Amino acid sequence: MSESDHQASAMTESSAEAAAAGLRTIAPGVRRIVAPNAGPFTADGTNTYLVGSGHVAVIDPGPDLPAHLAAILAAVAGETVTHIFLTHTHRDHSGALAALADATGATVLSGGPHRLARPLAPGEGNPFEEAGDAGHVPDRTLADGEQVTGDGWMIEALATPGHAANHLAFALPAAGLIFSGDHVMGWATSIVAPPDGAMGDYMASLDRLEARPEARLLPGHGAPVEDARARIATLRRHRQGREAAILARLSAGDRTVTELVTAIYRDTDPRLHAAAGLSVLAHLEDLVGRGLVTQAGPPGVGGRFAPA
């Protein structure tokens, strides 16, 4: 029995009932299922969205969990899944994709295979290597601004790199909303961690979404963002404040990521300092690229940084 056959067989009557109970209409023509993968980086779990009725599109199939696949299949019972859209190739969004595609025969669309925001330097590791779905190959790679039309819906792909190099958001203009993936969420700031992501790309992508007319965001984790521009402005101020704090600490004599994290995140749970260090590194690499900071020593978190 193939993996998809095994997972599809998990859709028992009880799982179908659970799917019906957890399925929620979140906007006109849009339903949401939350995967059971709650955690410190996923909020209540990954949001899987169903667009349309009768002939539907799935956005972000979610993690490779048989119960979640069963919930999706139960939710679309009696309907035809024609398209599967993927915002980016992190496994909490793409893990169930292959099995769902096998079960439905739908066309898979994304920003392409997993890729890094920059090449790895000699001797540098990638702390998010296991999170990336290196095996993903879509049926169709979407270009920025490309429109896909289905039965009663039109989705536009928006290139929004930063959290991941191949990250796409998906606009549903008729409903006045954007599926923002992990780029903009209401419950937390997005992780931007080199070499998987890049801060300069992230900030430019914020500008890109802010310029859109859609007022509502449906993120990859957490509740809908009802005022897109206000949330984006808050995220921009947060990142600008973090950048200012980093520059101030460098001027005060801090030179390493560890020193910067200890000073800037002194009120943060030490268990989160490793993740904070990657965020600081993302800011530092952006500052180096803009000529405001210099870097010496090994690449990545082991480098030494100073004001330019």
Side-chain angles (χ1 to χ4, degrees):
M1 179 181 289
S2 70
E3 181 181 5
S4 61
D5 290 338
H6 173 73
Q7 291 185 335
S9 70
M11 190 178 64
T12 62
E13 182 178 351
S14 60
S15 68
E17 292 174 352
L23 187 66
R24 179 182 174 189
T25 297
I26 208 80
V30 180
R31 294 164 285 170
R32 184 188 68 187
I33 306 169
V34 182
N37 63 326
F41 298 109
T42 56
D44 294 334
T46 302
N47 292 327
T48 294
Y49 297 100
L50 311 178
V51 180
S53 176
H55 292 81
V56 304
V58 175
I59 297 178
D60 281 350
D64 183 15
L65 296 174
H68 186 55
L69 177 65
I72 297 172
L73 294 175
V76 298
E79 299 181 289
T80 300
V81 178
T82 58
H83 299 74
I84 302 172
F85 293 85
L86 184 67
T87 59
H88 63 294
T89 45
H90 286 159
R91 294 184 186 277
D92 59 319
H93 294 255
S94 68
L97 191 154
L100 182 62
D102 285 346
T104 63
T107 299
V108 175
L109 308 97
S110 73
H114 188 73
R115 61 184 185 272
L116 300 181
R118 61 162 174 78
L120 285 170
E124 182 185 13
N126 178 10
F128 283 91
E129 183 172 5
E130 292 187 2
D133 186 355
H136 170 74
V137 179
D139 296 317
R140 179 175 164 189
T141 297
L142 294 174
D144 181 36
E146 190 168 351
Q147 297 179 348
V148 180
T149 302
D151 186 5
W153 52 262
M154 187 280 286
I155 288 174
E156 180 180 355
L158 307 174
T160 47
H163 172 73
N166 63 353
H167 195 287
L168 295 176
F170 297 110
L172 189 64
L177 61 85
I178 292 174
F179 300 94
S180 56
D182 281 5
H183 183 62
V184 176
M185 301 178 288
W187 75 285
T189 57
S190 299
I191 295 173
V192 182
D196 212 45
M199 189 60 67
D201 290 344
Y202 175 81
M203 297 298 285
S205 293
L206 285 182
D207 294 342
R208 174 80 191 284
L209 287 193
E210 187 178 44
R212 294 286 305 188
E214 292 83 8
R216 195 177 191 220
L217 304 177
L218 300 185
H221 307 275
V225 175
E226 302 297 344
D227 189 335
R229 289 182 181 82
R231 180 57 180 161
I232 290 168
T234 297
L235 292 173
R236 183 183 292 107
R237 287 194 299 270
H238 169 77
R239 294 297 185 181
Q240 291 170 338
R242 190 68 75 212
E243 177 182 291
I246 289 169
L247 289 171
R249 292 308 310 173
L250 290 174
S251 295
D254 291 347
R255 292 293 176 263
T256 68
V257 170
T258 298
E259 290 171 343
L260 290 164
V261 169
T262 300
I264 297 171
Y265 291 87
R266 56 183 175 273
D267 296 327
T268 300
D269 187 336
R271 293 174 296 180
L272 300 178
H273 279 192
L278 294 173
S279 177
V280 167
L281 177 63
H283 278 288
L284 288 167
E285 290 190 352
D286 181 44
L287 290 165
V288 169
R290 290 155 54 196
L292 299 176
V293 170
T294 62
Q295 180 177 355
V301 294
R304 294 186 64 82
F305 300 87

